[in-house]
Amino acid sequence: MIGIEDVRAAEERIRGRVRRTPVLRAGAQTFFKLEYAQHAGSFKTRGMMNQILASGPAPAAGIVVASGGNAGLAAAYAARELGIPAAVFVPETAPPVKVAKLGKLGAQVTQVGSEYAEAHAAAVVHAERTGARFCHAYDDPGMVAGNGTLGLELLDDLEFDTVLVAVGGGGLAAGVAAALAGPAESADAGKGAGGSAGAGESVGGSAGAGGDAGAGGSAGAGESVGGSAGAGGDAGAGGSAGAGKSAGGSAGAEGSAGAGAGTGARVTAGGKRVVAVEPENCPTLSRALAAGEPVDVAVSGVAADSLGARRIGLLPYQIAVLTEMRSLLVDDAAIVEARRRLWDDYRIVVEHGTAAAYAALTSGVYRPAEGERVVVLLCGANTNPGDLA
């Protein structure tokens, strides 16, 4: 069971060990959650700290994690703070800025393969050989619950309708969805192992009625974070994920949806929803929703170092299904432009994977309804800013 109770327990467990990150108003109805200011430069420090603490005393060999970079940095930071050894396996393609920082945090770093999946396999072997505890970068209840604590901060800090979240393995979107769903809509991801979409309990009987926040279909001009008015009409082509299955197993709607609520996930308790955003070249959630289960996908592109998981996590997938989350797809050019606009307009430096969430707005793939209040999670900044100069 991953739900609000788990997220609240994680909040207590990691209190004083992670930063409460600020929210910046970026437009009349648009806000940035500045999670890139977190320890080790990304949201993953929340999840990794919770995962380690929730697992009990670490073995003498410490922990081991596979990562595109950010989960490794989070693990290295958490391990240093808790006084335990950490081994981190990253692909050979990991950005040098992340590899160098791993060393500074005291981790034993091994580069192997060209993708996260290869680093993952090597980390599992290391755990079996040394007795180190394997800590998953995204597909773990403790990781998901810890990530969800930033959702609780959002609920405390402002009124909003929609959260745009970049998705790779899915641990952040799943955690935020669990935090926003409320007690009656906790996702029971412990059942239905093996990936069947309808397995386990439904998210709850008190699903918020659609249309409470930014009713779909109205084409109102929602101001984007960059300041330009959002065009009305249908969501941009290619934006919606393919046919996903609801928790009960019925096929989800296909095609482009109306503006605002129609482009995102099921409206949850309090009228709030999570909308996933993925690079077209790393569509793990989109493909899983279309297939009815997690599937392997080829990954590439500018955001692959942080969003390049080859397969969505089973737990995040189950939560996405149970909350009827949808994924919007953005291309590399939109991601690069969004990252540039964050720097030019706000002097915010983030990595390409983080910029994917903002790209949904700047490219028009997500078009807020009139009056819809949108939060963009800016979740990581472990990047070389040299190309923004």
Side-chain angles (χ1 to χ4, degrees):
M1 172 70 76
I2 299 297
I4 187 67
E5 296 84 1
D6 303 280
V7 180
R8 287 173 177 158
E11 183 181 43
E12 289 300 316
R13 192 175 291 118
I14 65 178
R15 191 182 301 278
R17 298 184 183 275
V18 301
R19 291 176 178 146
R20 184 182 183 94
T21 54
V23 173
L24 170 70
R25 181 182 288 274
Q29 301 291 339
T30 308
F31 305 86
F32 294 156
K33 173 66 167 169
L34 306 183
E35 186 62 17
Y36 63 84
Q38 189 55 256
H39 292 299
S42 87
F43 73 95
K44 285 184 180 286
T45 300
R46 296 175 185 263
M48 193 59 68
M49 185 70 76
N50 186 56
Q51 182 180 175
I52 294 171
L53 290 173
S55 299
I63 62 170
V64 58
V65 63
S67 170
N70 285 339
L73 289 167
Y77 173 82
R80 188 188 70 179
E81 294 301 298
L82 297 173
I84 59 177
V88 180
F89 287 75
V90 298
E92 295 172 354
T93 53
V97 65
K98 294 183 179 181
V99 176
K101 191 171 180 179
L102 282 167
K104 290 179 181 178
L105 288 170
Q108 173 191 330
V109 185
T110 303
Q111 292 186 261
V112 57
S114 61
E115 295 181 7
Y116 166 79
E118 294 171 277
H120 178 277
V124 170
V125 171
H126 175 89
E128 293 172 346
R129 179 174 56 83
T130 64
R133 177 183 296 145
F134 179 78
C135 293
H136 204 287
Y138 51 87
D139 199 9
D140 175 87
M143 191 74 179
V144 171
N147 295 340
T149 59
L150 69 82
L152 298 182
E153 291 179 11
L154 286 175
L155 291 171
D156 286 344
D157 291 345
L158 75 158
E159 294 293 328
F160 63 95
D161 303 304
T162 303
V163 186
L164 299 179
V165 187
V167 169
L172 177 57
V176 175
L180 301 187
E185 295 185 302
S186 297
D188 186 350
K191 297 184 180 182
S196 58
E201 297 176 358
S202 66
V203 182
S206 60
D212 184 353
S218 63
E223 182 181 357
S224 71
V225 181
S228 60
D234 292 341
S240 66
K245 294 183 179 179
S246 71
S250 59
E254 285 191 15
S256 60
T263 61
R266 167 180 178 231
V267 177
T268 59
K272 295 173 175 58
R273 60 188 163 271
V274 176
V275 177
V277 185
E278 298 181 277
E280 288 183 346
N281 293 325
C282 303
T284 56
L285 178 57
S286 297
R287 295 285 179 83
L289 292 173
E293 63 181 349
V295 293
D296 285 346
V297 301
V299 293
S300 63
V302 297
D305 66 296
S306 55
L307 302 182
R310 193 184 296 172
R311 174 186 288 239
I312 196 77
L314 178 58
L315 176 56
Y317 168 75
Q318 290 172 328
I319 293 175
V321 168
L322 291 167
T323 56
E324 296 184 12
M325 190 183 298
R326 294 292 179 264
S327 176
L328 309 179
L329 300 178
V330 293
D331 62 29
D332 277 5
I335 293 171
V336 171
E337 173 62 16
R339 182 170 176 264
R340 165 64 63 179
R341 287 178 64 172
L342 284 167
W343 170 246
D344 288 345
D345 297 345
Y346 302 98
R347 282 304 188 253
I348 290 175
V349 179
V350 297
E351 54 200 85
H352 287 95
T354 293
Y358 186 38
L361 282 180
T362 58
S363 68
V365 167
Y366 188 82
R367 298 173 183 173
E370 185 173 3
E372 183 181 356
R373 299 158 298 184
V374 179
V375 177
V376 181
L377 289 191
L378 299 181
C379 57
N382 290 308
T383 186
N384 184 345
D387 60 344
L388 294 171

